[in-house]
Amino acid sequence: MIYIYKEMDQFTKKDYNANQILLSAERRIESEHFAFYENKKQSMLAYLLLRYALFRECGSYSEPKISKADSGKPYLSDQEGVYINLSHCNAGVMCGVSKYEIGVDIQEYVHYEENDFRSVLTQKERTVIDSRSSDAEFTKIWTLKESYGKYTGEGITYSLDRMDFSGIDAKWSRRYGHLFSAECCEKTADAACTEEELKRINVSYDELMEILNILRHFNNC
């Protein structure tokens, strides 16, 4: 499944402090590397959403053991056959869980200027974006490019202007041998690349906190 959490303002500093106990030592160190609180919170929420997802999907109460491949792509070293990917921005966090490799990305809308982004888009992508005069359309295409790079583990080092992602929306589409889906919402676009059709689940603050409370209780026992 693909889990998305967007009620960023609902998650207070009190929640931030209370849920430190659910972070792994590695994630805590990683979050503290950010200079600003909002970035620390995003990093924390992405990890907490992963714990929420693994509880829902696998019934897992324990701290996930995340390792990184040589490419830097995270994977679960304690659960075979379960693949994950995380993404976060100011307006939301996203977690993908699948029985196949997966890449996900969520971004706030980016203002599109053709001259700034010509080198990373195909001609067809530029035509579609220009025809719609849409920052949302550009951001959706960009998240698709990011999701593919996160799926492969190579990031955005591949030839971005040679892979066309125009015309992909929330309905799953097969392209370049993989399944892609992308969606535009009020403030964000998000995308996923994987090998199976997955349902998007929007997680509310109350739903997230309900599971985090259970996990904290388990951690304290």
Side-chain angles (χ1 to χ4, degrees):
M1 298 295 181
I2 296 170
Y3 297 86
I4 300 173
Y5 176 81
K6 293 184 179 178
E7 296 178 6
M8 304 297 281
D9 291 339
Q10 293 279 352
F11 194 86
T12 65
K13 278 203 171 182
K14 181 179 178 181
D15 296 324
Y16 178 86
N17 292 329
N19 287 289
Q20 287 284 341
I21 194 173
L22 294 180
L23 297 185
S24 66
E26 293 79 10
R27 192 68 179 192
R28 194 175 296 115
I29 292 170
E30 185 176 326
S31 296
E32 287 304 316
H33 282 164
F34 291 106
F36 300 106
Y37 165 72
E38 287 302 319
N39 300 116
K40 297 178 194 288
K41 184 172 84 169
Q42 293 165 33
S43 177
M44 169 186 270
L45 276 167
Y47 185 86
L48 295 178
L49 189 61
L50 170 63
R51 295 207 61 173
Y52 174 96
L54 292 176
F55 181 86
R56 289 294 193 194
E57 300 260 333
C58 311
S60 176
Y61 288 84
S62 56
E63 176 186 296
K65 298 189 183 305
I66 302 177
S67 299
K68 289 189 177 180
D70 292 342
S71 64
K73 183 176 181 179
Y75 68 93
L76 295 178
S77 56
D78 60 337
Q79 296 192 52
E80 290 188 12
V82 180
Y83 297 87
I84 64 162
N85 205 234
L86 305 174
S87 182
H88 56 81
C89 68
N90 288 331
V93 296
M94 186 175 184
C95 171
V97 178
S98 175
K99 59 185 177 182
Y100 301 103
E101 287 285 2
I102 185 169
V104 301
D105 192 62
I106 185 169
Q107 302 272 349
E108 293 174 279
Y109 289 152
V110 176
H111 179 59
Y112 174 68
E113 292 286 352
E114 182 177 357
N115 290 337
D116 293 338
F117 298 107
R118 174 177 291 275
S119 65
V120 300
L121 298 171
T122 67
Q123 179 58 56
K124 187 174 181 181
E125 288 170 340
R126 293 199 298 271
T127 299
V128 170
I129 294 166
D130 289 342
S131 69
R132 300 183 182 182
S133 301
S134 173
D135 293 344
E137 187 66 23
F138 166 71
T139 309
K140 183 180 73 171
I141 288 172
W142 181 253
T143 60
L144 283 161
K145 291 178 183 287
E146 287 268 17
S147 72
Y148 176 74
K150 294 180 74 174
Y151 171 96
T152 63
E154 61 183 319
I156 53 172
T157 60
Y158 66 97
S159 299
L160 297 170
D161 61 339
R162 296 183 182 179
M163 296 186 69
D164 184 87
F165 292 103
S166 60
I168 295 175
D169 55 24
K171 184 179 179 180
W172 289 91
S173 302
R174 184 164 291 279
R175 198 168 295 187
Y176 305 112
H178 309 293
L179 284 170
F180 291 90
S181 174
E183 191 168 68
C184 290
C185 299
E186 182 181 357
K187 297 180 180 178
T188 62
D190 64 77
C193 171
T194 187
E195 301 302 320
E196 62 175 337
E197 295 187 9
L198 298 171
K199 182 180 179 182
R200 278 178 171 78
I201 297 175
N202 288 299
V203 180
S204 71
Y205 170 80
D206 290 339
E207 290 168 333
L208 179 64
M209 294 307 298
E210 178 185 2
I211 300 306
L212 296 184
N213 288 336
I214 293 172
L215 295 176
R216 286 203 311 273
H217 176 74
F218 176 82
N219 192 88
N220 287 324
C221 289

